[in-house]
Amino acid sequence: MTNNAIIEVTNMRKSFGKLEVLKDVSFRIAPSEVVAVIGPSGSGKSTMLRSLAHLEEVNGGSIRIGNEELVHNGVYPSGGKIKEITSRMGMVFQHFNLFPHLTVRANLELAPKLMKKYSAEEIRSKASSLLEKVGLQDKGDVYPSNLSGGQKQRVAIARALMMSPEIMLFDEPTSALDPELTGEVLQVMRQLADEQMTMIVVTHEMSFAREVADRVMFMADGEFIESGTPEQLFGSPQHERTKAFLNRVL
Ligand code: ADP
Ligand code: MG
């Protein structure tokens, strides 16, 4: 895993003004690995994911995706390089972030049409098959406001898959959902994991982390405190902060 990591983050630092949100964060993710990131609110989990997807720019450190560096020692490449790298990742947010004025199908087709990566026909058929994959084949012409939260999040996942990403980043994908709707979203994520998608999932769903993740990373105060298999992290956490957190959430 050390040599073939698909994501390698080295000494990543990020501040908002004087607030140091990520302090020297380093980790590697292997291809097809499913990593759950857990930790208290405000610990920097979203900022970490957003930095990977270049929704935030870090102040220092390096992020390598495959063989390409999104940022090297705090310096970003110019030109189309960044888009090319970030298009290899799909991101799903807590609040879905669907375009409300577009139908479900148009939500899926927008980015690939803008990127001109596929023909119109390919885009249409890809959208159809992804809607089917998430169990929403009959919702293509519906607007997001007419969907349940669970359906919206499944649309968001299908939309993120349209660009054929190698990596999927999930930021608390079920936190905004009524409990009875989380299952249908977790089911789609479980299927992606089974299909060998590389995934980083920030989540409060400890049962999902336990069942689906290959590795669980615990983050607190802008640092990764420890990581291990679900058995290791949940069964015998090493750090006091991890123990205290797990005592509160389990
Ligand atoms: P988490 O996802 O673990 O709850 P976040 O990454 O969202 O944590 O936030 C970490 C810290 O950074 C928090 O203190 C938050 O208030 C702060 N923060 C996040 N985004 C911004 C921003 N755009 N501007 C200023 N502060 C921010
Ligand atoms: Mg967050």
Side-chain angles (χ1 to χ4, degrees), residues 34 91-96 98 133-136 147-158 160-161 168-194 199 201-205 207-209 211-212:
V34 177
M91 183 147 175
V92 172
F93 303 88
Q94 180 177 356
H95 294 291
F96 326 125
L98 298 176
K133 184 188 181 85
V134 301
L136 296 172
L147 297 176
S148 72
Q151 290 172 328
K152 282 182 200 169
Q153 196 58 299
R154 285 185 283 149
V155 172
I157 294 172
L161 292 171
M168 285 286 285
L169 309 174
F170 293 88
D171 193 359
E172 299 196 27
T174 60
S175 293
L177 302 179
D178 292 334
E180 73 271 21
L181 300 179
T182 60
E184 63 193 61
V185 173
L186 294 175
Q187 183 49 39
V188 171
M189 294 169 63
R190 206 171 269 129
Q191 189 188 337
L192 282 178
D194 288 344
M199 296 165 55
V201 185
V202 173
T203 186
H204 293 306
E205 296 279 344
S207 58
F208 179 83
E211 288 161 31
V212 182

Side-chain angles (χ1 to χ4, degrees), residues 213-227:
D214 299 305
R215 190 152 55 103
V216 182
M217 307 206 290
F218 173 67
M219 197 170 177
D221 292 329
E223 295 174 277
F224 275 116
I225 305 298
E226 67 179 300
S227 94

Side-chain angles (χ1 to χ4, degrees), residues 111-148:
K113 277 180 178 163
L114 291 175
M115 295 287 282
K116 300 190 168 75
K117 192 172 161 186
Y118 306 103
S119 73
E121 221 163 290
E122 282 173 320
I123 291 172
R124 223 185 142 66
S125 96
K126 204 166 164 67
S128 299
S129 70
L130 284 172
L131 284 176
E132 191 172 340
K133 184 188 181 85
V134 301
L136 296 172
Q137 55 280 0
D138 54 342
K139 298 292 185 194
D141 298 326
V142 163
Y143 286 86
S145 57
N146 293 314
L147 297 176
S148 72

